[in-house]
Amino acid sequence: MHVNAAEGLREVRALLATFKTPSCIQRAGELDGVADKVASCAAELLDAEGDQLQERLASAASAIRAAEKAADTYQRTPLTRAMSQARFALKTGAAMGSIQLALEELDPAEKAVRDKLRDR
């Protein structure tokens, strides 16, 4: 049960790690269903760990939805595109950080991945 949820979170983290530049907002469609995937992983881990893990995953799902909203604003409102790009980058980064911390809670060996992400 933990293995499936952890693998799903690793997939989400890998996807979020690909959003590196402001122009990545053009690929926001790839986030469709990702917040729901994080929520389903959180449901699988409901009895596994403490409240802190659930809060981190809820924060990640919320940040992903906010990134999707920023991408929608980017498409609709040309005057605020720079702000939308900044918000998108902030929210995808926050989601990736929350997921990384959740994975570290599940498996302390994930700290090595954090170091790799930090060095890029």
Side-chain angles (χ1 to χ4, degrees):
M1 187 154 121
H2 279 67
V3 176
N4 291 336
E7 187 57 37
L9 292 173
R10 284 186 195 98
E11 290 172 10
V12 171
R13 178 186 60 197
L15 173 64
L16 292 172
T18 65
F19 292 98
K20 296 178 183 178
T21 65
S23 62
C24 288
I25 197 168
Q26 300 291 335
R27 298 180 24 237
E30 294 176 29
L31 293 176
D32 286 344
V34 173
D36 294 333
K37 186 173 189 173
V38 171
S40 69
C41 290
E44 283 185 44
L45 296 169
L46 196 56
D47 60 342
E49 301 293 329
D51 293 336
Q52 194 172 30
L53 177 68
Q54 293 298 318
E55 288 174 13
R56 286 188 174 129
L57 293 176
S59 174
S62 176
I64 291 167
R65 287 185 184 105
E68 290 175 314
K69 185 176 176 184
D72 288 343
T73 302
Y74 175 86
Q75 293 298 326
R76 285 191 320 254
T77 315
L79 292 175
T80 62
R81 285 195 171 159
M83 292 297 292
S84 295
Q85 286 177 320
R87 187 169 183 240
F88 181 82
L90 175 72
K91 295 303 180 177
T92 55
M96 188 170 73
S98 294
I99 289 172
Q100 177 62 37
L101 289 173
L103 284 168
E104 287 176 20
E105 243 182 86
L106 291 172
D107 181 10
E110 289 288 336
K111 290 182 182 179
V113 176
R114 176 184 58 191
D115 295 338
K116 287 180 188 175
L117 289 171
R118 190 178 295 159
D119 291 339
R120 63 178 179 108

